């Protein structure tokens, strides 16, 4: 995973690319908390380059959201990758976040989940 913090006036943009898992999700929280120390008009997480997203990523996003809410700073998710929106929808937390204006709305968890496949043991 790689992180990039860009300052534009009173806005902060954190771009996240690569895989988010248990070994690195905390880095998103740490960088966001650092950015939230300043007086911001908003914090934007660009998640368009995320290629793998685990439950640890969900926890990280929820921590960032809580930190932003505590400081009364809007948090926006910019163009989250399908793996992010799918897992967030399945976890029931996607509605907790605001998606960047102009981005397509993600499918609901029900629309994204396919019917389960029954794998019966084969007989020899």
């Amino acid at each position: 995973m790689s992180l990039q913090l860009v300052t534009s006036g009173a806005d902060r943009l954190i771009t996240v690319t690569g895989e988010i898992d248990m070994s690195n999700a905390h880095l998103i929280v740490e960088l966001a908390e650092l950015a939230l120390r300043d007086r911001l008009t908003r914090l934007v997480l660009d998640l368009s380059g995320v290629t793998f997203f685990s439950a640890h990523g969900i926890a990280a996003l929820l921590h960032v959201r809580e930190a932003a809410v505590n400081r009364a700073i809007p948090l926006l998710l910019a163009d989250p990758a399908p793996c992010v929106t799918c897992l967030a929808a399945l976890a029931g937390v996607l509605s907790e976040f605001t998606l960047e204006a102009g981005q397509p709305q993600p499918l609901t968890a029900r629309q994204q989940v396919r019917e389960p496949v029954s794998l019966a043991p084969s007989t020899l």
Side-chain angles (χ1 to χ4, degrees), residues 29 56-68 75 91 93 96-97:
V29 176
H56 293 87
I58 294 287
L61 291 183
L62 290 172
H63 282 285
V64 172
R65 180 187 164 278
E66 181 179 352
L75 171 66
V93 300
E96 300 290 321
F97 299 95

Side-chain angles (χ1 to χ4, degrees), residues 3-51:
L3 298 170
Q4 179 182 27
L5 175 62
V6 175
T7 300
S8 176
D11 289 352
R12 299 295 180 277
L13 168 67
I14 296 175
T15 302
V16 184
T17 56
E19 299 181 356
I20 301 172
D21 58 27
M22 66 184 275
S23 70
N24 59 20
H26 68 281
L27 298 173
I28 297 169
V29 176
E30 292 172 13
L31 185 57
E33 287 179 343
L34 178 68
L36 288 167
R37 289 181 186 168
D38 296 332
R39 292 187 54 110
L40 305 180
T41 55
R42 68 181 184 157
L43 175 64
V44 179
L45 294 179
D46 178 352
L47 303 172
S48 61
V50 174
T51 57

Side-chain angles (χ1 to χ4, degrees), residues 93-106:
V93 300
L94 188 60
S95 63
E96 300 290 321
F97 299 95
T98 302
L99 299 180
E100 179 69 47
Q103 301 303 324
Q105 293 295 317

